[in-house]
Amino acid sequence: MSALEPRDAGTAVEPSSAEAPQGSVLDAAHRALSVGIVSVVLLIAFEATAVGTAMPVAARELDGVSVYAFAFSAYFTTSLFGMVVAGQWSDRNGPLVPVTAGISAFAAGLLLSGTATAMWVFILGRAVQGLGGGLVIVALYVVVSRAYEERLRPAIMAAFAASWVVPSVVGPLVSGTITERLGWRWVFVGIPLLVVLPLALALPAIRRTASGPADPSAPRAPWDRRRVLLALAMSAGAALLQYAGQEPRRLSLLPAAAGVALLVPAVRGLLPRGTVRAARGLPAVVLLRGVAAGSFIAAESFVPLMLVTQRGVSPTLAGLSLALGGLTWALGSWIQSRPWTEPYRERLVVLGMLLVALAIAAVPSVLLPAVPVGVVATAWGFGCLGMGLVIASTSVLLMKLSPPEEAGANSAALQISDGLSNVLLLTGGGAAFAALGGGAVGHAVSSTASGASHPAAFAVVFLPMAGVALVGAWVATRLGSGRGDD
């Protein structure tokens, strides 16, 4: 497949002798757009890391601890639907309107949650916010595919990854301080104030470089109502599976079965043909994104809980043990963006998945008292380095394999694979964790001693996820050119 060339940016004007001969993401043609869209990602990253810190306090004040998990699942399920809608919307009309609508919905959801006086209103706000996040992330991928030459895309994807570094390190600290000094509501209502700068920078630049359909002379394709219905089915199925995983009892088999019945046709209809069997090219890229993200996030979610309950580490130190990962993730993204790595991209991705698998497998070693707790920080640093190589590379490969008129749908498929695998592997890991007595470890959270020791409950999460990551290393060998018809 030929490279996706931008419509306007960076192609009409020859660089002056004072400029780099091949330009950059910060040259005159791209500077405003790059700063604007990276600011959007920075905003989303800060929200993701900050809101989680304030969430327990909000749930207690709103008397909603019993439905605490739905504050997360509401965001996730609506974001899946937003991803599909954004893909079609961007392909038909360009990414400008989906980005605008997404940022607006994201801010509106934060304000709704931040001013809620009942837990159901808070959850509704999270759902609105998730819809906006789903719209934004897919539309931004379309912007990158249209406004940046192929040689610049690794650099802008590395910038996306780097924009998570500062929020991942300071976000929980800032959020905790605001929650303690001003109240949890300010964590939610304060973030929308930051929307103005990304809008002012990004929207005019998107209008100049990536607005309208990819081919203005072609007839505009109608909305694919079948895909929209499949997206609704997928979101409902994901929510049912999460609910079933949180309530491990016989009656939970009913919502679990209903969730699977909704998910199977939705996945088959929304992901590229051949994704499940890792067909070469685009299907393997989409599958790898899900395998990498799902195994890593499912494992990472249990790391702080394991350190607090099994080794008596304070919650703050447990969170800081993962902070190094933000830096090494950005390093991995930077490495894959270097021009000399392009011929070796597939090998780098295989290496990245091997690092992820080894990191996940090494983390539960701290369940042995003789193993220093610092092993977690070291292992997770290497795992995040691998994720930096993999995640940015899958985005670059997707754009390379997608014709302009399919960039939105394929970007949506990539994000769907990412998000859906998160909920499926988290649900499976959580159910296994609970089945081996993991629920009892919560009573040890406030204690400095591991009063409820259940090492098997944690091992049954980490070791299977390491195996999933190893499968990802095999999938990474099938990223070569092709559209999935091997």
Side-chain angles (χ1 to χ4, degrees), residues 28-65:
H30 300 94
R31 186 179 302 117
L33 178 62
S34 297
V35 173
I37 62 177
V38 169
S39 297
V40 172
V41 176
L42 183 67
L43 173 67
I44 295 174
F46 185 80
E47 182 278 337
T49 56
V51 166
T53 303
M55 199 82 76
V57 179
R60 286 197 298 268
E61 183 174 316
L62 297 175
D63 193 24
V65 174

Side-chain angles (χ1 to χ4, degrees), residues 76-415:
F76 180 79
T77 53
T78 54
S79 68
L80 287 174
F81 179 71
M83 291 170 188
V84 176
V85 172
Q88 288 201 54
W89 203 351
S90 298
D91 285 341
R92 292 182 76 252
N93 304 98
L96 177 63
V97 178
V99 168
T100 306
I103 294 177
S104 300
F106 190 83
L110 284 167
L111 289 173
L112 186 59
S113 291
T115 57
T117 56
M119 191 62 181
W120 71 267
V121 179
F122 182 89
I123 293 173
L124 177 62
R126 291 287 292 165
V128 174
Q129 186 187 344
L131 178 63
L135 290 171
V136 169
I137 193 64
V138 171
L140 287 184
Y141 272 66
V142 178
V143 170
V144 172
S145 73
R146 292 192 186 183
Y148 294 86
E149 300 95 326
E150 183 178 347
R151 58 185 167 77
L152 295 180
R153 291 174 196 155
I156 194 65
M157 298 312 300
F160 281 2
S163 67
W164 281 81
V165 174
V166 174
S168 66
V169 175
V170 306
L173 178 61
V174 172
S175 176
T177 301
I178 293 175
T179 300
E180 293 176 5
R181 300 292 179 85
L182 300 177
W184 65 267
R185 295 182 184 278
W186 284 100
V187 177
F188 290 85
V189 301
I191 293 177
L193 299 177
L194 305 176
V195 170
V196 177
L197 177 61
L199 284 176
L201 288 173
L203 297 187
I206 294 173
R207 184 184 299 276
R208 291 194 307 270
T209 61
S211 62
D215 184 0
S217 63
R220 184 170 301 180
W223 279 91
D224 188 340
R225 295 182 180 179
R226 178 176 175 273
R227 288 184 65 84
V228 174
L229 291 175
L230 287 175
L232 284 172
M234 178 178 60
S235 296
L240 287 169
L241 281 179
Q242 274 201 324
Y243 173 77
Q246 292 163 6
E247 297 288 339
R249 54 187 180 180
R250 289 185 178 181
L251 287 178
S252 299
L253 294 176
L254 293 177
V260 171
L262 289 170
L263 276 175
V264 170
V267 169
R268 291 176 61 89
L270 293 173
L271 299 184
R273 183 178 179 182
T275 297
V276 175
R277 58 185 174 87
R280 289 191 179 277
L282 182 64
V285 171
V286 172
L287 177 62
L288 178 62
R289 179 61 163 260
V291 170
S295 60
F296 184 84
I297 296 301
E300 185 179 55
S301 300
F302 286 87
V303 171
L305 184 63
M306 180 182 66
L307 293 177
V308 170
T309 63
Q310 306 302 292
R311 295 299 299 266
V313 175
S314 71
T316 300
L317 288 178
L320 289 176
S321 69
L322 303 178
L324 175 64
L327 299 174
T328 57
W329 190 311
L331 175 61
S333 296
W334 178 83
I335 290 173
Q336 67 80 39
S337 72
R338 300 299 88 194
W340 62 267
T341 65
E342 187 59 37
Y344 310 104
R345 184 172 298 279
E346 292 180 30
R347 296 181 185 179
L348 283 175
V349 174
V350 173
L351 173 62
M353 287 309 305
L354 290 175
L355 288 174
V356 172
L358 289 173
I360 296 174
V363 163
S365 67
V366 300
L367 292 168
L368 301 173
V371 177
V373 173
V375 167
V376 171
T378 302
W380 218 243
F382 280 104
C384 287
L385 175 66
M387 286 296 286
L389 294 171
V390 172
I391 297 300
S393 289
T394 55
S395 301
V396 172
L397 289 168
L398 177 111
M399 296 172 193
K400 183 177 181 179
L401 294 170
S402 300
E405 65 275 10
E406 297 178 9
N410 290 342
S411 296
L414 191 75
Q415 297 301 322

